[in-house]
Amino acid sequence: LPECDSTGSRWRVAIPLSPSSCSDLPPPARGTDCSFSCPAGMFLEMGTQQCTPCAAGSYSLGSGLRFDQWDAVPAGFTSLASFLDPGSSWTPQGVYLESNRDECTVSLVYAVHLEKKGSVSFTYQYPDNNIFFEFYVQNEQCQEMAQTDDQKWIRVTNTGEWDTHTVNLKSGTNILYWRTTGILVGGKMVKPVLLKNIQIEGVAYTSECFLCRPGWFSPAPGSSSCQPCPTNTFSSKGASSCTNCPEHQYAHEGWGECKRRPPCSEKDYFQIHTACDGEGKTQVLYRWVEPKICVENVTGAVQLPTAVQREPCPPCNPGYYNSNSNDCLPCPPGTYSDGTYVCTECPAGTEPVLGYEYKWWNVLPSNMKTSCFNVGNSKCDDMSGWAVAGDHIRSAAGSSDNDYLILSLHVPGFKVPASLSGMTGSEFGWITFVFETICSGDCELYFMMDVNMKSTTVVESWEGSKEKQSYSHSMSRNASVTFTWAFQRTNHALDVRRYVSDMVKLYSISVTNALDGVASACRACALVPQNSQRAGSSCVPCPAGFYIDTGTNRCQECPPNTHLAGHHTYGQDACVACGMGSISNKEHSRCYSDCSFSHTENNRTLTFDLSPLSDVASLIIGPSFTSKGTKYLHLFNISLCGHESDSAQLVNSVDSFVCQSTIIPADGRGFRMAISSQSISLADAFVGATVDSVLDWVDAKPDLFPAKTKDLPDINFFYRYDMRNWDGPTASCDHGRSSVITVRCNPEKSDRGELSVPSSCPAGTCDGCTFHFLWESASGCPRCAEDDYHPIEGACKGGVQETLYVWNEPKVCTKGVSLPPRSSSPCEAIALWLKVGVGGGAFVAVLLIALTCYFWKKNKRLEYKYSRLVMSANKECELPAADSCALAEGEEPDDDVVYTKKKPSLLGKLRHERGESCESVQLNSSQCDRWVLG
């Protein structure tokens, strides 16, 4: 039939079988209307123009198309690799189609012409957000049809979950694109997208039926679908029934051929522990993996081991007791037990610690279930999921290596006990489990949770072998939750079992504050005040932010700027002081920074105001390139300060956070728009701030920001803001992710400043766990105070002196106090102290001159007297009389003076004048000799 004409109908035109023979052809005839279609299970027979039922072994959708056979890419589909590697493509895997696993961009394309409005729907798995998966439609002019983001960008599915996506189509030609792009930023292979059951509605008619694919059949005419062949049967294409496999051959459900059964080996059986019998004994039994595909009676085959000797049952789990029937029963309310003795009532002033604590695995607890899920929808025995093994529970064999082995634990809700009521609603309970993975392939363990039975989300995952370790996760909502552990040996579809020995072991699972939990111990609680009418030993809940005093067992409020930490409120040590630069909220549940704090240094208090940095700041780093040349950028969003929300629903919210996204720009891979990965939280809880000196900071962090620190003056300030991720440890970070934001005082920057990361770690981190950021800003400088400026006094002019105030250099403060205005004060030209000083100096100078003249004159007279005495000495060494030693009245001194060779000092002359005057002493000969020589 040709295309529809202007009247909305078709014409039937005969086409010769041989191009060389065009005779005796029937004339064109009017055919069916364009809107005509046959019901499901029928097709339009061209000769009679009547709807005819499909024969057995085939099916029809009537006015639609269905593609569910993926042994090969169906006719009409094209796989296009549009970037770098033309070898990448969508790969058929039998029951589904698998996308590429590398970072190439690959499109699956199919064109269809609709005579009326229709739709396209497909079933898919999209478990990895490191691969971008989009679906869009173009018309025959290659123009993209208008679509919403929800229609274009496919929702990520949970592990092992199939979802269906439907998009409406317009009449005319529709070109359908399924496009994937992997992002291997960290070198980790992405998990592929899986497609199956593509169905298109709106085709006017179908002129033939589709044959059932191998392994499927349709038993009756007029079928709209085919059914899979049961286990150990097979069928060829277009079969109306299935055929049993020959002896020593097997086939799984939906197989198109049978395979030879291999000899049985140790991989084909597993062990289980029986429940405790009446004598308190258990026994290890062995079972074949179902469905059993091996044979025992051939050469080289192993036999199923016999049961081992019975052994005593392990004790009951804490909170349970052993009844007379050797069954473990939960302790009654208000009692406790560690599992080895009978339940005991809690003492007065205490309450039971409720929860689950599973560490002995003789039987599966009643609130836990195990199952098996196959990617290709093949049947998987639920008993092949997980098996108890005494001191642990482990993954069982499953039916294939790519099965998901599921273990689930249901918690109906949480109840915060009275002793923990002082802690606010940010934490209702914890789940902690100890596990170990033993793998030789690419196994992966997923830990997931489903809140209120809405959707299952992956909390954490681990790949490959992992040593025995513990993992904890907190519950921030009081709701019903189902925790799930899913183990997959490999995500590759394999026909042969290769990794059946790979397993995961769970040694213990602990859940606190479970609503229907049991008690393994009791703890102290707050009592009713004695002045209350209800005074006694009954426990009462403490208000938010209160702890239980150890001396009185009464509720006491935590001191200011402390928060309740840990999992208890008993004793004042439960109130932990907030870090520097942070304050606690009203409920003492967390500490946060309000962008202001003080720091004392050298007997001086510095005040800081970082409020200009309180808004969310963004930092884009890059570009970087993957091994195949994909251009990408790192986007960080940072909120330095938090606040207490006034919203009734978010009473305790703190808005400090650091998160990261990976962005591929429009020119990075040929996209029509930039695309971004899901944001990853790097930190969401403020720890505290510290102030470091420049030298200490540089010495401690020589590899961080080297170009930023080598030329810093000594008066710069650094503030270290420590933040951590509230969710705790991850698979790659044992202590969780954390971020350190260093705020540097730089008066030359603006108030908002500039963000940067270390040059040695372009992605902001060198280990993937701790991220470092430098924020240079004028807001990082302390607020100006009176110590930051000094006065300069001018000269006294006209009796007036001016005083000018200037900032200390270099200036490293901002805002705060302002410089005082210029001031003036009266003054004198010559100050009083200067006058007194000058007068005193003149008096001292005159006195010194007078004394000098006096002693000089007296000294001259003494020298004259002495010389005369020497000259007048007679030969008998007799001294003249006293009257001859002096000058007569009116006699002038003789200028000719004779001196001895040794001139006495002035002091000696004075001493001689006082004690040895020649006028009163008569010397003899011996005395004269000594005097002259001396």
Side-chain angles (χ1 to χ4, degrees), residues 416-435:
V416 179
S419 59
L420 299 181
S421 58
M423 305 183 71
T424 56
S426 60
E427 181 181 302
F428 287 92
W430 283 80
I431 179 171
T432 302
F433 58 91
V434 179
F435 72 98

Side-chain angles (χ1 to χ4, degrees), residues 425-726:
S426 60
E427 181 181 302
F428 287 92
W430 283 80
I431 179 171
T432 302
F433 58 91
V434 179
F435 72 98
E436 175 187 17
T437 56
I438 306 171
C439 301
S440 59
D442 58 338
C443 72
E444 189 161 6
L445 173 65
Y446 302 88
F447 174 60
M448 304 174 289
M449 68 177 185
D450 180 3
V451 179
N452 290 330
M453 301 181 67
K454 291 184 177 180
S455 63
T456 303
T457 57
V458 176
V459 179
E460 192 57 80
S461 62
W462 298 265
E463 292 185 356
S465 295
K466 298 295 181 183
E467 296 181 352
K468 188 176 181 180
Q469 58 186 274
S470 175
Y471 178 80
S472 299
H473 179 73
S474 65
M475 285 298 300
S476 58
R477 295 177 57 187
N478 189 2
S480 171
V481 60
T482 299
F483 298 105
T484 301
W485 294 264
F487 180 70
Q488 187 183 35
R489 292 184 171 89
T490 179
N491 57 14
H492 296 272
L494 301 174
D495 294 335
V496 181
R497 301 294 301 274
R498 297 181 181 176
Y499 308 111
V500 70
S501 299
D502 294 359
M503 69 177 68
V504 57
K505 296 181 179 181
L506 278 178
Y507 293 93
S508 64
I509 301 175
S510 175
V511 180
T512 63
N513 303 337
L515 187 62
D516 61 345
V518 292
S520 60
C522 300
R523 63 180 153 213
C525 61
L527 303 179
V528 179
Q530 295 181 355
N531 56 0
S532 173
Q533 296 180 355
R534 297 172 52 210
S537 61
S538 59
C539 296
V540 295
C542 287
F546 283 65
Y547 69 94
I548 302 174
D549 184 80
T550 56
T552 62
N553 272 25
R554 310 297 179 189
C555 298
Q556 298 288 339
E557 185 176 6
C558 282
N561 293 331
T562 62
H563 69 287
L564 285 172
H567 307 293
H568 72 95
T569 59
Y570 192 70
Q572 190 172 355
D573 59 346
C575 304
V576 180
C578 294
M580 177 180 175
S582 61
I583 60 176
S584 64
N585 56 2
K586 296 178 180 178
E587 292 79 16
H588 298 278
S589 61
R590 284 192 182 183
C591 299
Y592 67 96
S593 169
D594 61 354
C595 276
S596 64
F597 65 97
S598 299
H599 172 68
T600 302
E601 184 178 286
N602 297 329
N603 296 325
R604 179 188 172 193
T605 300
L606 305 176
T607 303
F608 305 94
D609 180 15
L610 303 182
S611 56
L613 309 182
S614 60
D615 294 336
V616 178
S618 297
L619 172 64
I620 296 179
I621 302 173
S624 300
F625 298 89
T626 63
S627 59
K628 290 196 173 183
T630 302
K631 178 181 178 181
Y632 66 93
L633 307 170
H634 287 298
L635 171 64
F636 296 94
N637 289 324
I638 299 176
S639 176
L640 189 63
C641 308
H643 65 275
E644 213 175 341
S645 175
D646 294 332
S647 171
Q649 298 179 349
L650 300 174
V651 174
N652 304 317
S653 66
V654 177
D655 293 335
S656 297
F657 64 84
V658 180
C659 58
Q660 176 191 17
S661 301
T662 301
I663 297 178
I664 299 180
D667 59 347
R669 186 59 79 84
F671 289 117
R672 295 171 298 281
M673 65 181 69
I675 55 179
S676 172
S677 67
Q678 185 177 357
S679 180
I680 300 174
S681 175
L682 304 181
D684 56 9
F686 180 77
V687 177
T690 56
V691 180
D692 297 332
S693 67
V694 174
L695 296 179
D696 292 342
W697 191 87
V698 174
D699 292 340
K701 305 291 182 182
D703 56 335
L704 297 179
F705 317 105
K708 304 281 186 181
T709 58
K710 62 183 180 181
D711 57 347
L712 296 180
D714 292 340
I715 42 71
N716 252 320
F717 298 97
F718 284 90
Y719 318 101
R720 174 189 170 104
Y721 270 71
D722 293 307
M723 302 174 68
R724 65 180 175 88
N725 202 322
W726 193 255

